[in-house]
Amino acid sequence: MSRRRLDEVDRAIVERLSRDARVSNRQIAAELGVTEGTVRSRVKRMEEEKLIRITAVTNIDRFRDASLAYIWIEVERSHQVSEVASQLAEIPELGFVGEMLGRSDLLAITMVRNNEHLAEFVHGHISCIPGVRRTESTLGVNFVKHDYRMARIVR
């Protein structure tokens, strides 16, 4: 299946929804100068093609008793990266798992209460996965910018 390129109207719809996903199709249509049916059909198509997903996002700045933990993972052999990533993706506490280029093979992101909680999580859920060579963890302490909206699509 080839990837569809988003046109300017699609991008404008995504940009508007990224600011407030509860905005009506009618309001988006009025702002963009298109019909409500155009907005509705384009949103439906982008959802069906899994180009967008409309969901609620937590505001991590409001979590006073939790920190964002970045867990950098090296695997033993390069052919194990995908399998380890798949196993990590099955862990419900991980909100992000990605294959990386650079010093580490994988990055996993989760929320933890403190250093001890992070250590327990890494030892109990990640280090025990076959193929994991080593992990390195960092905690986010001050977020200057945190924006999960991915409406700014690179062209």
Side-chain angles (χ1 to χ4, degrees):
M1 179 176 165
S2 65
R3 290 188 179 200
R4 177 187 293 267
R5 294 184 60 87
L6 301 181
D7 66 16
E8 291 303 315
V9 173
D10 291 335
R11 284 189 180 93
I13 291 169
V14 172
E15 168 24 30
R16 185 60 179 94
L17 287 170
S18 72
R19 286 186 273 131
D20 179 3
R22 296 180 299 177
V23 65
S24 70
N25 291 340
R26 179 179 297 161
Q27 186 172 344
I28 295 172
E31 291 173 11
L32 300 180
V34 298
T35 68
E36 183 179 353
T38 296
V39 173
R40 183 174 33 268
S41 65
R42 285 174 178 247
V43 168
K44 181 179 180 189
R45 175 186 48 79
M46 288 187 287
E47 285 180 306
E48 287 172 351
E49 293 177 0
K50 300 192 184 320
L51 295 169
I52 64 170
R53 179 180 59 200
I54 298 173
T55 184
V57 176
T58 56
N59 183 352
I60 64 169
D61 295 334
R62 299 289 184 184
F63 288 91
R64 302 225 188 278
D65 60 343
S67 296
L68 203 55
Y70 299 83
I71 306 164
W72 304 92
I73 302 155
E74 286 181 30
V75 299
E76 293 172 356
R77 306 246 187 266
S78 60
H79 71 273
Q80 295 174 301
V81 171
S82 293
E83 177 56 32
V84 172
S86 293
Q87 290 184 47
L88 290 168
E90 296 297 320
I91 300 172
E93 294 88 352
L94 293 176
F96 175 89
V97 175
E99 295 183 18
M100 310 303 284
L101 293 174
R103 190 171 53 163
S104 295
D105 299 304
L106 300 164
L107 171 62
I109 302 176
T110 191
M111 297 283 284
V112 296
R113 291 183 300 277
N114 52 39
N115 291 340
E116 292 79 18
H117 184 219
L118 174 58
E120 290 171 13
F121 181 78
V122 169
H123 295 304
H125 290 74
I126 295 176
S127 296
C128 58
I129 295 174
V132 170
R133 178 188 310 173
R134 71 183 285 280
T135 65
E136 181 179 333
S137 300
T138 55
L139 291 174
V141 294
N142 182 28
F143 296 101
V144 178
K145 181 176 182 179
H146 174 204
D147 188 349
Y148 276 117
R149 297 176 302 158
M150 299 304 286
R152 293 163 194 90
I153 298 168
V154 178
R155 297 173 195 203

